[in-house]
Every structure is written in structure tokens, then in C-alpha cells.
Amino acid sequence: MKKRGSIILLGIIYSLVICAQDTKIPPVQINVIKKYFEETSLYSPIYSGKEHMAYPHFYQGYSFLESPDYHEGSLVYDGVYYPSLHMKLDLYTNQIVVQTPDKLSNVIINNDQVNHLYLHSYYIFYHLTDRMQGSPPTGFYLRLFEGSDFTILERRTALLDTRIEGKELQYKFFFRSRFYICKEDIYYPVRTLAGALNLFKPYEKELKQFAKKNKLNLIKLLRELS
């Protein structure tokens, strides 16, 4: 009887996990999933990676998406939904770092098993470059917009600037963004405002006036469209 009950419970949890990948789950159900995962060690695939090493204290700035601190997010890893993880995305090493519940370890997640994650209100996925025309390089991408006709993606990376100031070597992180528009199964890298407007020919005039009126550059326009 106990075994039968466990099978039924597993079935319920599995159903919730599948639904979670495409819908927003009420907090009560999320707590049920989280509690079950914790009690049965189903979080072990997440916390079994290598330790993330902190950067030297003399590095200026940070390399993480939005903030160097951990923030709560959710992750779909190898097809399984994991809610309420404390994560941060390192844009320099291109790695997701999760904090263990005891807050004693900072673990790197295997990118190849990552389906997608939600963090800082962004939908983020790991893209493997493929044979689609113009397919961008492998890495994490922020999906800014997905419509029936086109998708806007942002590849945000952290770079480390090294320079000599006085007699000291200075290290400082800075960020760079690259945008792509996927339209009719073709990826278009967008580097200029004119290039972006050219992809929206039917609305080019209106968008150009909108960008001029609101003093929008390429980055601001694409984020406004999303």
C-alpha cells in the first residue's frame, strides 16, 4: 500500500513538473514540488556540479546578470522543473551558479542540460549554434520578445578590461550586448538602428519617427519593442 501511494505521489509531482514548463504555477503547488524535491534529494543533479570560485577582490565591478547577489529564480534542467533556486548568471564564464540551501557552496550547473530559466524577470535559454542560417554562437540568450512573426534575442556578455594606471595593473568588468532577430527561420544580427528598422519594412517609417521622437538608440529601441 505504501509503495502504491508513493507511485501515485510521483505521478502527481510529475504532472506538476510537466505543466510547470509552460505555465505559471500557483505558489502553493510550487511549495509542494519544492518540499518533495528536498525530502527525496531530487535537487541533487543541481547541486552536484563544480564549485564556482570567487573572483579576486581587486577586480572592479561584477560579471553577473543585473546583480552580483543571488536572486530567486526557476530552472528547467534536463526536462525537470526546479522552482525557488537561488541563482546568478555569470556573463564572463557563461555559467549558471546556484547556492546550496545551507548557503555554504556555490555550484556551477552543466550548461548542456539546461533547457531554460527565469531570472530577473527574463526568459533565458542556452542556445547551441545550429544549421539555421545566421545561427548565433553558442551561449545564454535573453529572449526579449517572441511573436508569431519574429523573435528578439539579446546576448549579453561580460568582458574584463585590463590596463595599467600609474604603477598598478587594474582589472574592471564591463558589459556588451549583441542583438539578433529571428524571422522566417533566419537569424539576423542587428548592429545598427538602420539595420533593425530595415527588418520591419512595413513599419519602418513609423518606427523611425518613434525612435527619433523618443531619442532611442538601437538597444533602447529593441528593448522598447519587447
Side-chain angles (χ1 to χ4, degrees), residues 59 66 150:
Y59 278 21
E66 300 294 350
F150 65 93

Side-chain angles (χ1 to χ4, degrees), residues 101-194:
D102 57 13
K103 299 183 179 180
L104 296 178
S105 297
N106 308 295
V107 181
I108 299 170
I109 292 180
N110 179 16
N111 289 344
D112 293 338
Q113 301 299 319
V114 173
N115 301 109
H116 62 262
L117 62 146
Y118 288 95
L119 185 64
H120 298 295
S121 299
Y122 288 113
Y123 176 95
I124 306 167
F125 68 98
Y126 189 68
H127 170 78
L128 292 170
T129 189
D130 51 38
R131 294 184 179 180
M132 285 181 63
Q133 186 174 339
S135 180
T138 295
F140 284 102
Y141 287 79
L142 282 62
R143 190 177 71 190
L144 302 182
F145 174 80
E146 183 176 47
S148 57
D149 298 325
F150 65 93
T151 302
I152 300 177
L153 306 176
E154 179 183 358
R155 172 80 186 279
R156 201 178 302 181
T157 55
L159 303 172
L160 186 62
D161 179 53
T162 306
R163 65 180 63 188
I164 298 176
E165 293 186 4
K167 296 182 179 181
E168 295 184 352
L169 192 58
Q170 301 287 334
Y171 300 88
K172 186 176 183 179
F173 284 114
F174 67 97
F175 296 97
R176 181 182 68 186
S177 286
R178 292 286 184 269
F179 293 91
Y180 298 85
I181 293 177
C182 185
K183 187 178 180 183
E184 298 176 349
D185 294 330
I186 299 175
Y187 288 97
Y188 298 92
V190 182
R191 297 185 177 89
T192 64
L193 183 58

Side-chain angles (χ1 to χ4, degrees), residues 25-222:
I25 297 181
V28 173
Q29 292 185 4
I30 287 179
N31 290 334
V32 170
I33 297 174
K34 185 179 179 182
K35 186 174 185 295
Y36 179 78
F37 276 22
E38 289 173 346
E39 292 179 350
T40 57
S41 300
L42 289 179
Y43 270 104
S44 59
I46 299 298
Y47 299 128
S48 60
K50 296 180 180 179
E51 180 76 10
H52 182 272
M53 304 304 293
Y55 291 104
H57 70 278
F58 51 82
Y59 278 21
Q60 300 178 43
Y62 57 87
S63 63
F64 300 96
L65 177 67
E66 300 294 350
S67 168
D69 302 321
Y70 283 102
H71 287 265
E72 188 171 303
S74 60
L75 170 73
V76 177
Y77 182 83
D78 196 20
V80 179
Y81 175 77
Y82 295 90
S84 305
L85 291 173
H86 287 88
M87 303 184 289
K88 53 186 178 180
L89 178 60
D90 192 331
L91 300 175
Y92 182 66
T93 60
N94 208 38
Q95 296 171 326
I96 300 171
V97 185
V98 294
Q99 187 179 52
T100 54
D102 57 13
K103 299 183 179 180
L104 296 178
S105 297
N106 308 295
V107 181
I108 299 170
I109 292 180
N110 179 16
N111 289 344
D112 293 338
Q113 301 299 319
V114 173
N115 301 109
H116 62 262
L117 62 146
Y118 288 95
L119 185 64
H120 298 295
S121 299
Y122 288 113
Y123 176 95
I124 306 167
F125 68 98
Y126 189 68
H127 170 78
L128 292 170
T129 189
D130 51 38
R131 294 184 179 180
M132 285 181 63
Q133 186 174 339
S135 180
T138 295
F140 284 102
Y141 287 79
L142 282 62
R143 190 177 71 190
L144 302 182
F145 174 80
E146 183 176 47
S148 57
D149 298 325
F150 65 93
T151 302
I152 300 177
L153 306 176
E154 179 183 358
R155 172 80 186 279
R156 201 178 302 181
T157 55
L159 303 172
L160 186 62
D161 179 53
T162 306
R163 65 180 63 188
I164 298 176
E165 293 186 4
K167 296 182 179 181
E168 295 184 352
L169 192 58
Q170 301 287 334
Y171 300 88
K172 186 176 183 179
F173 284 114
F174 67 97
F175 296 97
R176 181 182 68 186
S177 286
R178 292 286 184 269
F179 293 91
Y180 298 85
I181 293 177
C182 185
K183 187 178 180 183
E184 298 176 349
D185 294 330
I186 299 175
Y187 288 97
Y188 298 92
V190 182
R191 297 185 177 89
T192 64
L193 183 58
L197 295 175
N198 188 55
L199 291 172
F200 300 99
K201 278 293 185 182
Y203 314 102
E204 183 177 5
K205 183 178 179 180
E206 291 84 352
L207 286 174
K208 190 173 183 179
Q209 292 174 345
F210 177 76
K212 184 177 180 180
K213 179 181 178 181
N214 294 279
K215 299 179 180 179
L216 300 178
N217 56 22
L218 172 64
I219 294 177
K220 291 181 179 178
L221 175 63
L222 290 177

